[in-house]
Amino acid sequence: MKYPRLEPDAIRQALSKLEGWSLREDGAAIVRSFKFSNFAEAFGFMAESALAAEKLNHHPEWSNVYSRVKVCLTTHDSQGVTERDFLLAEAMQKAAAGRGN
């Protein structure tokens, strides 16, 4: 199923409601780096985020090195940012809360 790509104004408005997220230079994704107190906290965040991603059927591009997790969200089928990216970003914000981020 293809989701409609958001217009730049809608992306800016949605980003204003999220802490630490920004638009990638090419405008085709939203990105954020998370820093946790240790590897276990970072891994717990990734595990919780993975469950949310499965429920949304929308999976992140991410990398992890020790206590850091870099996340890039884009909707490949739509070739840009959609509402699904923001739904997953919100779930990731919740997963990060209370984990020393």
Side-chain angles (χ1 to χ4, degrees):
M1 177 178 208
K2 191 169 181 178
Y3 293 85
R5 191 170 52 206
L6 295 175
E7 295 295 324
D9 286 342
I11 293 170
R12 279 190 289 278
Q13 184 178 4
L15 280 172
S16 71
K17 298 175 186 173
L18 293 174
E19 185 180 329
W21 291 86
S22 61
L23 188 62
R24 194 170 68 189
E25 281 186 25
D26 65 2
I30 58 173
V31 296
R32 177 165 178 194
S33 292
F34 292 89
K35 169 84 170 91
F36 299 94
S37 57
N38 56 47
F39 177 74
E41 293 295 335
F43 195 84
F45 161 77
M46 292 179 75
E48 188 174 336
S49 296
L51 294 174
E54 277 296 301
K55 286 181 184 176
L56 291 169
N57 193 29
H58 188 58
H59 304 92
E61 297 174 22
W62 58 8
S63 64
N64 165 244
V65 176
Y66 184 60
S67 62
R68 299 179 191 275
V69 180
K70 291 183 181 179
V71 179
C72 176
L73 301 178
T74 187
T75 305
H76 296 285
D77 293 347
S78 302
Q79 298 179 333
V81 179
T82 69
E83 182 180 352
R84 293 176 79 206
D85 299 302
F86 286 101
L87 291 173
L88 185 51
E90 289 170 5
M92 290 178 143
Q93 296 260 133
K94 289 178 185 172
R99 282 197 158 86
N101 178 43

